[in-house]
Amino acid sequence: MALSRLMFILALCAPTLVTADPLSDMAGTWQGSGWAKQTQQGPQETVRCRINNSHDGATRTLSLSGRCVVPGRQLEISGSLTGTQGTERITGRWSNPDGIGSVRVVGIQRAGIVAFNFAATDPATGRDMAQNVEWRVSEGTLQLRSTDRKDPTLMMSDISFGR
Amino acid sequence: MFGGIGFGAERLGLAALRFPRTAWIGAIVLLALIAVSLPRLSFDNDIHRAFLSDSPLSQAQRAYDASQSPPLGTVLIHITSPVALTAAQMARLRDLSLDLEFVGGVTAVASPFVLRTPPTPDAPSGTPLFGPQIDANFNAALMSFDALNTGLPIFVNETLTAMLFSVSVDTNQSTVAEIVPTISAALNQGLPAGLSAHITGEDVISSEIVTGLKDDLIALNLWGALIVMLAAAALLRDLTVAFLAVGPALVGAAAVLALSVWLGYPITVLSNVIPILLLVLGVADGVHLANGLKDSGNVHAAIQTVGPACALTALTTAVAFASITLTGNSQLFEFAILGAVGTMLSFAIVIVLFALLGRTLRLSDRPLPPISAAIAQRLTALGAARPRVTIAGCILLLIVATIGFSQTRAWFPLYQNLPDNSPTLATNDAISADFGGVFQMIVESDGDWETTRALARALEAASGPRTVLSDLNLARWLGRPDVRPSPADMAMLPKAIVDQLRAENGTSRLFVSVPEPMRNKDTLAQFDRVYDAALTAGADRIIGLPTIMRHEAVDLIGQLSLGLLVATLGATAMAAAAFRSVAIVPVLIIPNVLPLMLTGASLHLWAEGQLTPTAVLALTIAFGIAIDDTVHFLSRFRAAQLRGATARQAVSAASLAAGQVMVLTTLLLTCGLCVTLFSDFSPIRVFGGMMIVTLWAALLIDLLLLPALLTWKGAAHGTV
């Protein structure tokens, strides 16, 4: 477990060919596909997403909205992440009205990576869920990965985006 | 008291002659209004709204439509492969189904990829049958799902060569007609090579029919008008006469279209025939008037001589239309009002424009073609020479034709309204074979869970496996078939489906996929079997387009037939009142009903004896055409009698004056209507064919039977 946490942190620190302002690099329209799981031991489900991000340089805020679909269900998603001047800290909200609702998120941004975590209760299962979320942006690609906070080796989603 | 058989309506033309400047200004203003209004002409794209009435079924359908929030339309995508689908193709199709979810307005896509195993603690929504990786034995997953006996559709046929996507569309966001091109583009982009896909569904079919009909009707009307113009020039051998005969009638027909804009009535699949009818009657009146002008050399005299008969034909047609309101059928009300008001508007335009143009234009001295007079005289002489035989023969024919007509069957084949080259029909048949059908019968129950279960089981038994969607499917999937799924259980389904299955007031809905009811006798029997099963099992309401087509459209045909009967009686009474003669009633009834019955009976020869709404409308117009000829003939007959002629002399005079024009108009209109025979739509071909049959039947019967009736026993019947 400790090893996996370390790997997660290392991943955040890894140098990449990207700018130091990942929030602004995430702006634009993205189409993604991959998979996600509803529970730790649940099955992988095919996911496709289309999101539209806009970045406000003055407030250092990335606003995100879009839709993800799994077979038989559409999920509207939205959120905003705001950087703090002089630090790597970001704060914001993540909203999924059909799922976890609106939750507060806190994280960091660093060369090509935006990472945050959240905790919420899944209304469908009543289970507490807590995940680490990582966005990696580079060269016209965007990667979303999330892991379980209790067991970061447990991948909960993996979605690759392109423009 | 207005004098003459036209109740004085022809005085409108005389007034135009008296005040030509005012009349010209009025005509130009009206033309401008028509020109401005025509671009705003609207067509009713909801084909089944035309068949809704005040019946409990229609009210239930309207209540269902109103309860839809948001209102949903359905697009079906039928994907076929020449060989069984492979795992790679399945993966591509899965991605395609997901991509369709991103199309604006799409709320859900039902496909095999939404199928899941029953829920477990680790997979509270169930495990998808098709995960991110689809392996080669994916059919085993489908078989295992089917073995659960949920009754849910699996959207793939047994040979794995066909798949169905059901795309739900929020029609507040996008109409089905608007979204189809986007879906087509997505299919073109995402469909695996070697597969083909066709789009269908109730709303798609409706849109295809209305769009096709609209284009076809516009083209046919334009070509028909052009051909009538050319035929008039050729037959009348005088361009000015041809213009006088056809020009005002064209304006009159255009005015009726504008009238629909002014009244706020969209053109429907029923009312689109009204302009054609009025064009036909307008041209006939125009030829009679132009011939009268040619004879007298004076437009005032022509209007005084022929105008009353034209006015009476307009009045009888208007009364015929207005009579339809007596059926009390709300869906026919707009049709009747547009027809009645439009007829009088068209007449007013024809008589005024004829007056204005007639006093301006100079006609040649060239006589009408002698062949038309010869035909008319020959037939008239034949009828008058052997009146008893002619009458007996016609009565016999009437009996036979009436029996033949009574053997026609009220039938509403939606598929026949599709263009001939449309692939939709074959797609619908394929969907019926593999997935139950394109159309959705909706069964509503206000009862308890037991009633819903009983209904679902009865419908499954009658309709076949995997064709019924209800709460029971979900209950079986959850492994608790005896327990009604809770709202939490229902939350596992897309909200659009939940809202469909359960109304806000607690009513349960069951959806049955059925073929088009009147596709053939077998599908009709199947529909009736499912319908009866629903009623027997306790359904409170059975609605949906197939039910509307099966019951409301057939009722509509009955109402139209009743309207036709009322119109026949009303127009006959009107004409009898105009001639102030009760004795004339049989003279009007027999020659006018006989062409109608002959045309109706002829449906056995070319339309499998199917009496469709289009056919009944054609019969209504047939009566209008028949009585038009009769009134013109009788008008000339009476004029001759008033000059002191005997019945035989008056018949001969009428034949010469009106008979030859009747022959000419029949030829002229046949030319114009021939374009309908080249239509891509079967109902339009049947409609045009029926009109042509009617025109000739009416002509022959008028020229044979009227002289026989008018000269039989001399004065006893020979005075009008």
Side-chain angles (χ1 to χ4, degrees):
Chain A
M1 190 68 74
L3 180 63
S4 61
R5 282 207 184 97
L6 180 63
M7 287 179 67
F8 181 69
I9 293 166
L10 285 174
L12 294 182
C13 300
T16 51
L17 298 171
V18 291
T19 68
D21 188 7
L23 285 184
S24 66
D25 290 343
M26 286 170 65
T29 302
W30 299 89
Q31 297 186 12
S33 61
W35 60 265
K37 293 199 294 190
Q38 190 177 9
T39 63
Q40 289 90 336
Q41 306 306 320
Q44 291 183 356
E45 300 202 25
T46 310
V47 181
R48 286 171 99 84
C49 296
R50 293 187 187 178
I51 54 175
N52 187 23
N53 301 338
S54 61
H55 183 255
D56 183 344
T59 60
R60 291 179 295 280
T61 299
L62 178 79
S63 299
L64 178 150
S65 68
R67 179 189 291 179
C68 288
V69 298
V70 296
R73 191 170 292 265
Q74 297 182 357
L75 306 165
E76 300 298 329
I77 54 172
S78 63
S80 68
L81 299 170
T82 302
T84 309
Q85 191 170 19
T87 74
E88 295 176 336
R89 178 183 163 84
I90 57 166
T91 58
R93 297 201 73 80
W94 182 259
S95 176
N96 172 5
D98 300 319
I100 58 172
S102 179
V103 295
R104 178 178 158 77
V105 298
V106 178
I108 58 165
Q109 60 169 322
R110 187 177 298 162
I113 295 173
V114 172
F116 58 84
N117 52 50
F118 69 86
T121 302
D122 185 344
T125 62
R127 298 181 184 193
D128 290 333
M129 55 185 294
Q131 291 184 13
N132 304 309
V133 178
E134 172 198 308
W135 292 89
R136 285 175 177 264
V137 58
S138 68
E139 301 292 327
T141 63
L142 184 63
Q143 186 84 23
L144 167 66
R145 285 190 175 132
S146 66
T147 56
D148 186 63
R149 277 177 73 180
K150 288 180 182 169
D151 179 4
T153 61
L154 198 60
M155 292 280 288
M156 295 301 290
S157 66
D158 186 357
I159 305 171
S160 299
F161 290 84
R163 291 193 187 272
Chain B
M1 173 78 184
F2 290 117
I5 60 170
F7 295 93
E10 74 282 2
R11 290 183 189 178
L12 202 56
L14 299 176
L17 288 175
R18 192 171 173 190
F19 306 105
R21 184 171 298 186
T22 309
W24 269 119
I25 292 170
I28 289 167
V29 168
L30 185 64
L31 280 171
L33 274 175
I34 292 169
V36 169
S37 303
L38 284 182
R40 292 193 288 136
L41 191 66
S42 64
F43 288 80
D44 194 340
N45 286 326
D46 187 347
I47 199 163
H48 69 285
R49 191 159 50 218
F51 302 109
L52 294 178
S53 66
D54 294 331
S55 69
L57 167 57
S58 289
Q59 287 174 8
Q61 180 66 41
R62 287 197 187 92
Y64 169 77
D65 292 339
S67 72
Q68 298 300 295
S69 180
L72 293 178
T74 302
V75 176
L76 295 177
I77 304 171
H78 186 236
I79 297 164
T80 53
S81 167
V83 293
L85 292 164
T86 64
Q89 288 172 328
M90 289 293 283
R92 292 281 303 279
L93 290 170
R94 188 263 325 279
D95 293 345
L96 176 61
S97 75
L98 292 176
D99 285 340
L100 289 172
E101 300 256 15
F102 291 104
V103 173
V106 170
T107 58
V109 178
S111 70
F113 307 106
V114 304
L115 300 176
R116 290 164 178 269
T117 60
T120 63
D122 284 331
S125 301
T127 301
L129 293 192
F130 301 95
Q133 306 300 324
I134 297 178
D135 54 35
N137 66 340
F138 65 87
N139 192 31
L142 281 169
M143 301 282 277
S144 64
F145 183 85
D146 203 34
L148 295 172
N149 290 320
T150 62
L152 284 164
I154 59 172
F155 302 100
V156 185
N157 70 350
E158 289 180 0
T159 56
L160 301 179
T161 53
M163 183 181 290
L164 194 66
F165 288 179
S166 177
V167 182
S168 297
V169 179
D170 176 352
T171 53
N172 275 345
Q173 291 185 41
S174 173
T175 66
V176 167
E178 288 166 350
I179 212 168
V180 163
T182 313
I183 290 177
S184 296
L187 288 173
N188 288 336
Q189 196 175 355
L191 196 67
L195 306 191
S196 55
H198 289 107
I199 295 175
T200 183
E202 294 179 1
D203 303 298
V204 176
I205 294 169
S206 178
S207 173
E208 183 178 356
I209 288 174
V210 173
T211 305
L213 269 179
K214 193 162 54 179
D215 295 346
D216 205 60
L217 278 170
I218 290 169
L220 290 179
N221 277 319
L222 290 175
W223 278 109
L226 182 66
I227 290 173
V228 166
M229 283 286 283
L230 293 173
L235 287 170
L236 301 173
R237 300 196 295 186
D238 185 333
L239 277 177
T240 312
V241 171
F243 180 68
L244 262 182
V246 180
L250 286 174
V251 177
V256 179
L257 292 172
L259 179 66
S260 74
V261 176
W262 302 336
L263 292 174
Y265 296 167
I267 296 292
T268 68
V269 287
L270 299 179
S271 63
N272 66 46
V273 298
I274 295 174
I276 301 169
L277 165 66
L278 297 183
L279 181 64
V280 167
L281 295 183
V283 168
D285 285 346
V287 176
H288 280 286
L289 283 165
N291 187 51
L293 175 58
K294 218 171 169 79
D295 282 349
S296 63
N298 181 307
V299 70
H300 193 277
I303 292 176
Q304 275 193 321
T305 310
V306 185
C310 296
L312 180 56
T313 58
L315 285 165
T316 52
T317 306
V319 165
F321 272 117
S323 304
I324 294 173
T325 59
L326 297 178
T327 61
N329 192 311
S330 62
Q331 78 246 54
L332 293 178
F333 185 80
E334 288 184 9
F335 172 79
I337 294 298
L338 185 65
V341 179
T343 302
M344 294 317 297
L345 176 66
S346 175
F347 165 75
I349 288 170
V350 167
I351 198 96
V352 167
L353 285 182
F354 173 79
L356 294 174
L357 294 170
R359 67 190 289 275
T360 312
L361 301 173
R362 290 284 161 263
L363 307 186
S364 74
D365 296 330
R366 199 178 299 164
L368 291 177
I371 182 74
S372 56
I375 292 171
Q377 290 282 45
R378 181 71 62 87
L379 289 170
T380 306
L382 200 63
R386 293 174 177 270
R388 194 170 297 185
V389 175
T390 306
I391 294 168
C394 285
I395 289 175
L396 186 64
L397 194 59
L398 179 62
I399 292 168
V400 172
T402 304
I403 291 170
F405 180 48
S406 69
Q407 298 302 308
T408 57
R409 186 173 188 190
W411 199 261
F412 181 68
L414 186 69
Y415 71 92
Q416 283 184 4
N417 291 278
L418 288 164
D420 290 343
N421 57 359
S422 169
T424 305
L425 181 57
T427 302
N428 290 354
D429 287 344
I431 290 175
S432 297
D434 285 335
F435 305 104
V438 167
F439 298 89
Q440 292 283 312
M441 177 195 281
I442 304 168
V443 180
E444 291 190 336
S445 166
D446 300 330
D448 57 12
W449 173 239
E450 281 310 312
T451 309
T452 304
R453 288 179 67 196
L455 266 170
R457 286 196 291 254
L459 289 170
E460 284 171 343
S463 176
R466 300 186 290 271
T467 58
V468 181
L469 183 64
S470 72
D471 279 11
L472 183 60
N473 302 130
L474 183 63
R476 288 169 177 158
W477 181 72
L478 291 167
R480 305 190 300 267
D482 300 334
V483 181
R484 191 181 195 207
S486 67
D489 295 330
M490 297 295 280
M492 281 187 269
L493 297 176
K495 186 175 182 303
I497 292 178
V498 175
D499 291 345
Q500 292 279 313
L501 292 175
R502 287 190 185 171
E504 279 186 0
N505 60 3
T507 295
S508 292
R509 295 200 189 100
L510 301 92
F511 293 80
V512 190
S513 298
V514 294
E516 181 183 338
M518 294 192 180
R519 175 72 178 92
N520 55 48
K521 286 178 182 170
D522 291 340
T523 57
L524 183 61
Q526 180 186 346
F527 179 90
D528 288 346
R529 195 167 56 243
V530 176
Y531 187 88
D532 291 343
L535 283 182
T536 307
D540 289 292
R541 290 165 297 281
I542 306 171
I543 54 176
L545 182 57
T547 315
I548 298 290
M549 289 193 291
R550 170 67 180 96
H551 293 288
E552 290 294 74
V554 170
D555 285 349
L556 175 68
I557 293 167
Q559 295 282 347
L560 282 170
S561 301
L562 179 63
L564 176 59
L565 179 66
V566 173
T568 308
L569 297 174
T572 303
M574 180 91 189
F579 284 104
R580 295 177 180 81
S581 167
V582 177
I584 204 175
V585 170
V587 177
L588 288 166
I589 285 279
I590 300 173
N592 294 324
V593 172
L594 180 50
L596 195 149
M597 290 297 148
L598 279 173
T599 307
S602 74
L603 290 170
H604 289 288
L605 300 176
W606 58 356
E608 300 172 24
Q610 296 175 353
L611 186 64
T612 62
T614 308
V616 187
L617 287 173
L619 290 176
T620 308
I621 295 172
F623 179 76
I625 293 168
I627 203 163
D628 184 84
D629 281 352
T630 308
V631 164
H632 278 291
F633 193 94
L634 289 178
S635 169
R636 294 303 185 111
F637 176 83
R638 191 173 83 149
Q641 276 197 321
L642 291 176
R643 291 195 299 269
T646 64
R648 280 186 177 276
Q649 290 168 335
V651 159
S652 182
S655 173
L656 195 62
Q660 65 168 333
V661 179
M662 287 156 60
V663 173
L664 277 176
T665 48
T666 302
L667 280 168
L668 200 59
L669 295 171
T670 301
C671 292
L673 288 166
C674 272
V675 293
T676 60
L677 304 180
F678 297 96
S679 168
D680 286 336
F681 293 85
S682 164
I684 291 181
R685 292 197 297 272
V686 169
F687 179 81
M690 289 180 75
M691 297 280 280
I692 292 170
V693 168
T694 303
L695 280 167
W696 286 96
L699 177 74
L700 292 175
I701 290 161
D702 275 332
L703 292 180
L704 275 171
L705 182 59
L706 272 181
L709 287 168
L710 293 168
T711 56
W712 183 41
K713 291 185 182 176
H717 293 270
T719 303
V720 294

